[in-house]
């Protein structure tokens, strides 16, 4: 199994930036493609970004293109999501996930999930 722990979520003003981290432990991190999802109150969990095993390929939902950057450090078993120009509609619980293939945008295509970290963007 892979254990995933997100961190970095907090309250931030619109237009601000935030960097989320996802620390992985357990099985070999480099064996997994990774993704970020988010879930706002009353809404379904939605795809944000994905990164390949090596980190050489990334894929973004339209909502984050040009504002979000996903990256990973396989030596540190860590993945990050840099979020810039944040908007109130980015408010959600953000989850990291590990899966087999890249790119994957649906929740059912990932095998392991973290517990989430809350991001709140005030207007």
């Amino acid at each position: 199994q892979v254990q995933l722990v997100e961190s970095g979520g907090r309250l931030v003003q619109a237009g601000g930036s935030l960097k989320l981290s996802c620390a992985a432990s357990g099985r070999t991190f480099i064996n997994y493609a990774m993704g970020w999802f988010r879930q706002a109150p009353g809404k379904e969990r939605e795809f944000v970004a994905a990164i390949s095993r090596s980190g050489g390929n990334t894929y973004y939902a339209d909502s984050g293109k040009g504002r979000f950057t996903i990256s990973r450090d396989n030596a540190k078993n860590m993945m990050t999501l840099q979020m810039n120009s944040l908007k109130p509609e980015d408010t959600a619980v953000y989850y990291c996930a590990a899966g087999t293939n890249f790119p994957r945008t649906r929740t059912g295509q990932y095998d392991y999930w973290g517990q989430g970290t809350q991001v709140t963007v005030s207007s």
Side-chain angles (χ1 to χ4, degrees):
Q1 286 196 353
V2 175
Q3 290 79 44
L4 303 172
V5 179
E6 303 93 336
S7 62
R10 62 177 175 86
L11 174 65
V12 63
Q13 287 189 332
S17 297
L18 202 58
K19 188 173 186 177
L20 305 182
S21 297
C22 174
S25 61
R27 292 190 174 181
T28 307
F29 182 60
I30 198 171
N31 287 345
Y32 295 91
M34 300 294 295
W36 285 99
F37 286 74
R38 67 186 184 186
Q39 188 166 19
K43 295 188 177 181
E44 292 187 353
R45 194 170 298 188
E46 65 175 9
F47 171 75
V48 175
I51 190 165
S52 62
R53 292 183 181 89
S54 68
N57 294 288
T58 57
Y59 185 77
Y60 297 91
D62 289 343
S63 59
K65 284 181 181 177
R67 299 189 300 128
F68 296 176
T69 302
I70 187 172
S71 63
R72 66 189 293 168
D73 185 337
N74 288 333
K76 295 182 178 179
N77 289 355
M78 187 74 70
M79 177 179 67
T80 61
L81 183 68
Q82 176 68 46
M83 302 187 293
N84 299 325
S85 303
L86 283 162
K87 306 173 182 179
E89 50 263 44
D90 294 319
T91 295
V93 177
Y94 283 71
Y95 298 89
C96 67
T100 305
N101 297 307
F102 169 88
R104 291 293 183 265
T105 63
R106 292 181 290 181
T107 57
Q109 295 171 319
Y110 287 83
D111 301 313
Y112 302 102
W113 293 83
Q115 83 291 345
T117 186
Q118 176 71 49
V119 172
T120 304
V121 184
S122 63
S123 58

